[in-house]
Amino acid sequence: MEIIQQWVQEDSDYIRKKLVAYNMEQLPDKLKSPYENISFVVKDDNGTIMAGVTGHMFWHHMHVDFLWVDESVRKAGYGSKLLAKIEQAAKENACTFIYLDTFSFQAPAFYEKHGYEVFGTLDHFPERVKQYFLKKKLVE
């Protein structure tokens, strides 16, 4: 056998599939839920995406991958509306919490304003930048 450095999407998908299968064997049935991608977008009259949020759900939680709003429409409430939409989708799918990460130059205060709590940070990632990990309980 040999170790090979390469990037092949099919190989990455295979490794992920095998790890997910192993993980599912370790969990009680009540915690198992299917992996599901989700996104919401804001489009202008020309069909151009001006804002969007992407995430994925599994094991009754939601992870927000990306939330982006074009500079030309920032401060118009689209970020808050998109966050509310993905939170609602999480609740409708019986997620108990939602979590995400953001950088100090992005929007930690925005998420805290919407009820998210910091549960971890990485300093100097990269230099002089802090990465924040935040979560919000959806069910008590």
Side-chain angles (χ1 to χ4, degrees), residues 1 4 7 24 26 29-30 36-37 42 65-66 69 71 78 85 87-88 104 114 117 123 136 138:
M1 289 196 283
I4 303 165
W7 177 259
M24 292 299 271
Q26 309 311 308
D29 286 341
K30 70 178 185 170
E36 183 180 343
N37 292 312
V42 176
D65 298 317
F66 303 104
V69 178
E71 265 188 76
Y78 291 112
K85 284 281 195 187
E87 287 177 7
Q88 185 59 41
S104 53
H114 287 86
E117 298 176 20
D123 294 328
K136 182 178 183 178
L138 300 174

Side-chain angles (χ1 to χ4, degrees), residues 27-60:
L27 292 175
D29 286 341
K30 70 178 185 170
L31 295 179
K32 295 178 183 177
S33 63
Y35 184 96
E36 183 180 343
N37 292 312
I38 188 163
S39 68
F40 295 94
V41 296
V42 176
K43 292 185 178 183
D44 67 11
D45 294 338
N46 297 320
T48 303
I49 296 175
M50 301 302 291
V53 63
T54 66
H56 60 274
M57 294 178 282
F58 65 99
W59 299 350
H60 301 289

Side-chain angles (χ1 to χ4, degrees), residues 5 9 14 33 39 45-46 60 111-112 124 127 134 139:
Q5 180 181 349
Q9 186 62 51
Y14 177 81
S33 63
S39 68
D45 294 338
N46 297 320
H60 301 289
Y111 294 111
E112 289 177 309
H124 308 293
E127 183 179 302
L134 300 103
V139 176

Side-chain angles (χ1 to χ4, degrees), residues 56 62-67 98-104 106-108 111 116 119-122 125 130-135:
H56 60 274
M62 168 78 73
H63 179 262
V64 175
D65 298 317
F66 303 104
L67 190 152
I98 187 167
Y99 73 107
L100 54 88
D101 66 279
T102 190
F103 293 102
S104 53
Q106 289 177 324
Y111 294 111
Y116 288 74
F119 69 88
T121 59
L122 285 176
F125 183 69
K130 185 179 273 192
Q131 185 177 17
Y132 292 85
F133 298 88
L134 300 103
K135 67 179 178 178

Side-chain angles (χ1 to χ4, degrees), residues 72-118:
S72 67
V73 294
R74 286 189 190 148
K75 307 286 186 209
Y78 291 112
S80 295
K81 290 175 185 175
L82 287 166
L83 193 58
K85 284 281 195 187
I86 205 162
E87 287 177 7
Q88 185 59 41
K91 290 175 187 175
E92 289 169 2
N93 284 278
C95 292
T96 58
F97 70 95
I98 187 167
Y99 73 107
L100 54 88
D101 66 279
T102 190
F103 293 102
S104 53
F105 60 84
Q106 289 177 324
F110 167 81
Y111 294 111
E112 289 177 309
K113 180 179 88 171
H114 287 86
Y116 288 74
E117 298 176 20
V118 174

